[in-house]
Amino acid sequence: MALDLIDQARTWLAEDPDPETRAELRALLDAAEEGDNDAARRALAARFDGTLQFGTAGLRGELGAGPMRMNRAVVIRAAAGLAAYLAKQPQYDATGLVVIGYDARYKSAEFARDTAAVMTGAGFRAALLPRPLPTPVLAFAIRHLGAVAGIEVTASHNPPRDNGYKVYLGDGSQIVPPADAEIAAEIAAIGGLDDVRRPEAGWETLDDAVLDAYLARTDAVLTPGSPRDARVVYTPLHGVGRETLSAAFARAGFPAPTVVAEQAEPDPAFPTVAFPNPEEPGAMDLAFATAREAAGEAAPDIVIANDPDADRCAVAVPAPGTGSGWRMLRGDEVGALLATHLVHRRRARGAFATTIVSSSLLSRIAADAGAAYAETLTGFKWLARVDGLRYAYEEALGYCVDPEGVRDKDGITAALLVAELASELKGQGRTLADLLDDIAVAHGLHATDQLSVRVEDLSLIAAAMRRLREEPPAELAGLAVASAEDLSRGTETLPPTDGLRYLLAGKDAVRSARVIVRPSGTEPKLKCYLEVVVDVPTAEDLPRARATAETVLAALKKDLAAAAGI
């Protein structure tokens, strides 16, 4: 093992403020220096082979010792770099307020306290949220309190071993280039941790007034006097959403949601799920089991789930005859339902926005309503910056229904609006599934799916992208590729991003199709987003249209996997 790697580890060990990661690193060093212990050497190299990169998602990674892991030393440097960046921005008060929130993951509270100490030492006023709370509460607090910045310690729906560090600036939206690179440069300029002032006290811990203000704001997403009798089974997936969602539903006058008992309390181990993400197979099994146990008048109309930091919202509807009795709606389906509800019930004014990987259906709903429409790169860091934004969503279960209150995705207010829509339809003897049928007849069936490949070796993702660039497909699923765009070059409306977009010509009942391929920004995945649009002349044509869409989507997956070599 190279001596400089051993020296790096020893230097890190000498200033690591966390007894747990010191013990981990000490054990690895001892084992690596003993002789033939290849596993310890590889583990040590993995922790010191570079640094965890600060980007537009902030920081996110596995907990552990060293610069390639999430730990207190990395967080202290990140906070010091952010403080240095803020102090140099003329639009921000160098003694202004920085609000810090955190979820219930391992080390989240410690990372939040370290951040408060660094911000206080740098001359800012720091304020911690009173306890682990949903990320939307932090995003709200930034605007509500007039802060110059906000930090949320969370890894969202990542595996239990991960944590993260999400940064917002004073307008309440997440950072975008060039701020990410400028903050990263300030982080890189931080020397030893002894040079970073970290007083033992001096920051404020907020009381529940900020949560009360957020809950009062949630009323704004609903129509006064609207029906509110939908029955809901709810799971926070061991995250921090239950308290806030239950309070919001009570304020609004909905029946109290039936909470999935096994997943009700925050638990950083996420013991009942393989991945704490409602999109992952099996994550909703307990929620569906809870829903099946209810009968008669207590039977739920919908199932709702938040991810662990409650900024995402998943929805399921009854599906008699299926194994679970329930069907998860895709994020694109919920996005279209909420847009339709806002257009028809609220007569919403302003721009409707979504991302390039989400369904194109929103553009048709917006056009039909005479509303402005915008399309951005993936992530609410981009969506939140759309001029005149009224509503935004992305297919990964993220919805912004009150951009003036929370300029980010918000799983609490989205759940309220879904429950209001379900209640309205219930009064008409109809369901969310019925409304989706209406939307398909009005605009065509926009069916979406994903091909997502999780890897251990990130070079496999780079190889797949390189292969598609060097040998682009001419045809997919029997449909000619009408245009192929390398998004790394940017477009007239989009900044450069590592992605490929294929638009496919229509044939027979298939109006069009689209494929977008990109590496995930937060997980070791290659993600391929598929859409096929099928004409639906009448409601009677829906079964045939769905069968056609299913066939085309399956063929797209097969052909794209072959083209990418995955």
Side-chain angles (χ1 to χ4, degrees), residues 41 50 69 76 80 110 114 195 209 223 226 262 272 331 346 349 375 383 391 394 470 477-479 505 549 564:
R41 293 171 181 174
R69 297 288 187 265
I76 289 166
E110 291 94 324
D114 282 332
D195 298 330
T223 302
S226 62
E262 300 93 330
T272 68
R346 305 275 293 169
R349 292 293 178 266
E375 198 172 88
L383 287 171
Y391 168 69
E394 60 180 356
E470 293 173 353
L479 304 175

Side-chain angles (χ1 to χ4, degrees), residues 127-480:
L128 287 169
L129 291 187
R131 58 188 172 280
L133 287 169
T135 292
V137 177
L138 182 277
F140 166 82
I142 297 166
R143 293 169 67 84
H144 177 66
L145 299 174
V148 299
I151 298 102
E152 178 71 16
V153 180
T154 179
S156 188
H157 56 278
N158 275 38
R161 65 179 181 272
D162 289 0
N163 212 327
Y165 199 78
K166 185 184 294 187
V167 176
Y168 299 77
L169 296 180
D171 63 351
S173 55
Q174 297 175 54
I175 55 171
V176 296
D180 58 339
E182 293 169 358
I183 294 170
E186 296 290 352
I187 294 170
I190 301 299
L193 292 192
D194 289 343
D195 298 330
V196 179
R197 291 192 63 236
R198 287 177 286 146
E200 294 292 325
W203 56 88
E204 177 186 3
T205 298
L206 299 171
D207 59 22
D208 277 355
V210 67
L211 177 59
D212 293 341
Y214 168 81
L215 288 169
R217 178 77 198 187
T218 62
D219 296 343
V221 307
L222 301 174
T223 302
S226 62
R228 301 183 188 180
D229 60 349
R231 294 194 174 275
V232 174
V233 162
Y234 169 70
T235 175
L237 284 181
H238 300 294
V240 297
R242 180 181 61 84
E243 174 192 5
T244 305
L245 183 136
S246 296
F249 269 59
R251 281 183 62 97
F254 287 101
T258 299
V259 180
V260 178
E262 300 93 330
Q263 299 171 334
E265 297 303 320
D267 187 336
F270 304 109
T272 68
V273 293
F275 289 95
N277 178 354
E279 292 181 292
E280 293 283 349
M284 297 292 289
D285 287 355
L286 285 173
F288 295 159
T290 301
R292 289 193 300 271
E293 290 170 2
E297 293 184 0
D301 300 295
I302 53 176
V303 172
I304 288 176
N306 287 137
D307 67 337
D309 69 325
D311 62 351
R312 288 174 169 83
C313 176
V315 181
V317 297
T322 62
S324 69
W326 290 83
R327 180 176 81 84
M328 274 281 290
L329 298 183
R330 293 189 173 277
D332 285 317
E333 291 178 304
V334 178
L337 287 168
L338 291 177
T340 301
H341 184 47
L342 288 170
V343 165
H344 292 165
R345 182 75 176 173
R346 305 275 293 169
R347 291 183 168 83
R349 292 293 178 266
F352 282 43
T354 192
T355 68
I356 59 171
V357 302
S358 302
S359 172
S360 60
L361 176 56
L362 185 63
S363 66
R364 292 172 173 83
I365 294 172
D368 191 55
Y373 171 76
E375 198 172 88
T376 74
L377 294 183
T378 306
F380 268 85
K381 57 182 176 285
W382 300 107
L383 287 171
R385 287 173 163 75
V386 170
D387 288 339
L389 183 65
R390 173 59 188 89
Y391 168 69
Y393 95 90
E394 60 180 356
E395 52 75 39
L397 310 182
Y399 314 94
C400 174
V401 300
D402 178 25
E404 291 306 307
V406 175
R407 198 162 284 273
D408 198 2
K409 55 187 175 291
D410 183 345
I412 305 298
T413 51
L416 284 172
L417 205 60
V418 167
E420 181 186 55
L421 175 57
S423 298
E424 180 180 292
L425 292 167
K426 184 178 181 179
Q428 302 166 7
R430 306 178 75 234
T431 66
L432 296 179
D434 294 327
L435 182 54
L436 284 171
D437 289 349
D438 294 348
I439 294 170
V441 173
H443 302 291
L445 176 65
H446 289 62
T448 58
D449 203 352
Q450 248 192 65
L451 172 63
S452 182
V453 181
R454 184 182 292 270
V455 301
E456 294 292 333
D457 181 358
L458 290 177
S459 70
L460 297 176
I461 293 177
M465 296 296 291
R466 183 170 59 253
R467 177 170 175 166
L468 288 171
R469 285 188 167 102
E470 293 173 353
E471 303 175 42
E475 182 181 281
L476 293 168
L479 304 175

Side-chain angles (χ1 to χ4, degrees), residues 57-114:
L59 293 169
R60 194 175 292 187
E62 185 176 345
L63 291 164
M68 284 295 289
R69 297 288 187 265
M70 283 295 297
N71 51 65
R72 290 182 61 196
V74 164
V75 165
I76 289 166
R77 283 191 171 86
L82 175 60
Y85 167 83
L86 291 171
K88 293 178 180 178
Q89 306 307 307
Q91 69 270 37
Y92 298 133
D93 179 357
T95 62
L97 176 67
V98 177
V99 187
I100 304 145
Y102 56 101
D103 65 12
R105 283 178 176 266
Y106 295 119
K107 297 291 182 181
S108 285
E110 291 94 324
F111 294 168
R113 285 195 294 271
D114 282 332

Side-chain angles (χ1 to χ4, degrees), residues 502-516:
Y502 305 105
L503 302 181
L504 311 182
K507 186 169 69 175
D508 300 328
V510 176
R511 187 188 303 172
S512 62
R514 187 197 67 192
V515 172
I516 295 175

